[in-house]
Amino acid sequence: MFYLMSQANEPQVNLPAHFAFACQLAAHHYQQGQKVFIATDNQADAFLVDEYLWQFSDDSFVPHQLTGEPPFYGAPVEIGWQRAKQRRQVLINLRTIAPEFATEFAQVVDFVPIDELLKQQARKRYATYKQWGITLATTQLE
């Protein structure tokens, strides 16, 4: 699923809109009993997502961990800039490229941010997913 971001999606925190929405989706999938991997480009982005999830909601906690942290059997939501350590149903991609391991997941979530450069990167990811045989859908976020 590709989510098309809009100006209305800009968060009230110092975090890119698609990162904040990725955290909301991770919480949703966790509540549905699914295990999630949030893929980032680098350690700094992973730490940013990790920190936001700690502060995410006053009334609900999303159990999560960075790749390689205990517990080694895996929290429901894993965040990393490398391949997931545990088998998971949902990949939420925050990378600028399509992760080479995307086909290992039952569901792939990606974003088309507002920024023009990030849109171009999203188009390339979309084409890559299609080449890999991943069925794609898009939805506009209001």
Side-chain angles (χ1 to χ4, degrees):
M1 174 63 70
F2 263 84
Y3 288 97
L4 307 171
M5 306 301 291
S6 70
Q7 285 297 116
N9 305 123
E10 288 299 317
Q12 302 300 317
V13 295
N14 190 18
L15 191 72
H18 60 297
F19 279 44
F21 191 65
C23 292
Q24 291 175 14
L25 288 173
H28 169 77
H29 287 289
Y30 162 66
Q31 291 166 354
Q32 301 298 312
Q34 297 176 313
K35 289 195 165 206
V36 176
F37 181 65
I38 302 174
T40 63
D41 277 325
N42 52 54
Q43 185 177 20
D45 286 350
F47 286 164
L48 190 63
V49 171
D50 176 57
E51 185 63 31
Y52 185 67
L53 278 173
W54 280 114
Q55 303 168 17
F56 180 63
S57 175
D58 291 338
D59 59 352
S60 66
F61 173 69
V62 178
H64 65 282
Q65 70 185 71
L66 293 165
T67 299
E69 288 183 336
F72 294 104
Y73 56 83
V77 175
E78 181 181 351
I79 309 157
W81 57 100
Q82 303 144 347
R83 182 180 299 266
K85 297 290 184 192
Q86 302 292 322
R87 185 106 176 119
R88 301 187 178 270
Q89 292 90 9
V90 180
L91 168 65
I92 298 177
N93 185 43
L94 295 176
R95 290 184 174 184
T96 54
I97 62 169
E100 66 280 359
F101 49 81
T103 57
E104 298 172 11
F105 293 81
Q107 183 178 355
V108 176
V109 176
D110 210 315
F111 305 92
V112 181
I114 299 166
D115 178 82
E116 194 56 42
L117 174 62
L118 297 177
K119 278 184 187 178
Q120 291 172 13
Q121 293 169 342
R123 288 183 191 111
K124 289 179 183 176
R125 290 192 307 274
Y126 188 94
T128 301
Y129 291 138
K130 271 187 96 147
Q131 284 180 333
W132 291 344
I134 296 173
T135 303
L136 302 166
T138 60
T139 189
Q140 178 72 50
L141 293 176
E142 299 300 326

